[in-house]
Amino acid sequence: MRTRLAALASLSAAALMFAIACGGKKPPVAPEPPVTETLSDAGDGDSVDAAPRALFERLGGKDGIAQVVDAFIKNVQADSRVSRPFAKVKGEHMKRFHDMLVDQLCELTGGPCTYQGKDMKSAHKGMRVTNKQFDAVVEDLQAAMSELKVPDQEQTELVNQLSQMREDIVGDKRK
Ligand code: HEM
C-alpha cells in the first residue's frame, strides 16, 4: 500500500513538472494537411506562369525554318509530281521564292517577320494547281522536317496551318 501511494505521488509530481516545463501551454496544433490539387488544377509540374513557346521558336527560329525550306526545295525539285511547275524557278527567282517562303512560315508560326510576297491566290494564279499537287508539296515539306528531326507535334502544327491555304492555292479542284 505504501509503495502504491509513493508511486502515485511520484507520477503526480512528474505531471506537475511537465506542466511547469511546458509553461501550461496547450500542445502544438498538428499542421494543416497539404492542399490536394483537383484534376482541373493539375499542371504537368512545369512553372504555372511559363507561356507556351511559339511554334516559331520550337522550329529553331528563322535559321531552323530556313533549313527546313532548303530541304523542302530540294525535295520538291526531285518530286516528279510537282517538279514541273518549279522547273522555271531558278537563280534569283529561286532565291526570292526561298526568302518569301521563309518569311511566310516565320510570320505564320509567330516569329518576328513580315511576309511581303504575293497573297496565295495571286502567287498561284493560272498554275492550275491540283489537290494532289498540294498534298505532294505538303508531303515534301513533312519529309524535309523529318530529315531535320523536327518532332511530330511541331510538324502537325505547321501542316495544320498550311492546310488552311489549300482553298486559295488549288486552282483545279477536280483533281
Ligand atoms: C502549302 C502550300 C504552299 C505554300 C505555303 C506556298 C507558298 C508560296 C510562296 C510564299 C510563294 C512566293 C510568292 C511570291 O513570290 O510572292 C510561292 C510561289 C510559287 N509556288 Fe507555292 N506554295 C504552296 C503550294 C504550291 C504548290 C502545290 C505548287 C505547285 C505544285 C506551288 C508552286 C509555286 C510556284 C511555281 C511558285 C513561283 C511562282 C512565281 O514566282 O512565278 N506552290 N508559293
Side-chain angles (χ1 to χ4, degrees):
M1 184 67 182
R2 266 179 88 91
T3 354
R4 258 191 180 170
L5 274 174
L8 265 175
S10 64
L11 261 177
S12 321
L16 185 68
M17 293 284 283
F18 179 79
I20 291 165
C22 297
K25 285 184 190 151
K26 289 181 186 167
V29 179
E32 297 244 328
V35 177
T36 319
E37 268 184 338
T38 63
L39 255 187
S40 59
D41 295 332
D44 55 8
D46 288 336
S47 164
V48 178
D49 295 326
R53 290 201 309 148
L55 180 55
F56 169 76
E57 284 169 34
R58 287 179 281 132
L59 289 172
K62 203 165 174 179
D63 284 350
I65 290 175
Q67 284 183 41
V68 169
V69 170
D70 287 343
F72 163 72
I73 288 173
K74 285 194 185 109
N75 290 346
V76 159
Q77 288 172 328
D79 183 346
S80 60
R81 298 171 295 177
V82 289
S83 53
R84 247 178 104 174
F86 284 99
K88 64 174 171 107
V89 187
K90 291 179 188 154
E92 275 305 302
H93 191 176
M94 177 51 87
K95 191 182 167 341
R96 175 189 157 86
F97 172 71
H98 172 280
D99 293 350
M100 286 299 118
L101 197 52
V102 170
D103 275 354
Q104 187 190 42
L105 298 184
C106 170
E107 184 177 345
L108 196 70
T109 55
C113 309
T114 308
Y115 171 65
Q116 291 182 318
K118 297 175 190 162
D119 65 83
M120 289 298 92
K121 221 169 194 158
S122 316
H124 302 91
K125 197 171 174 193
M127 280 188 213
R128 303 190 65 75
V129 174
T130 64
N131 276 304
K132 280 189 180 157
Q133 284 179 316
F134 186 90
D135 293 339
V137 160
V138 171
E139 271 175 45
D140 292 338
L141 181 71
Q142 276 183 303
M145 289 194 279
S146 295
E147 285 159 34
L148 291 160
K149 313 254 180 301
V150 172
D152 287 351
Q153 170 67 29
E154 281 68 30
Q155 291 198 23
T156 306
E157 284 181 41
L158 186 58
V159 167
N160 286 346
Q161 298 252 39
L162 295 180
S163 60
Q164 293 167 23
M165 299 177 182
R166 181 188 291 268
E167 189 64 25
D168 285 342
I169 293 173
V170 173
D172 184 352
K173 312 236 187 269
R174 296 164 303 163
K175 295 183 219 156

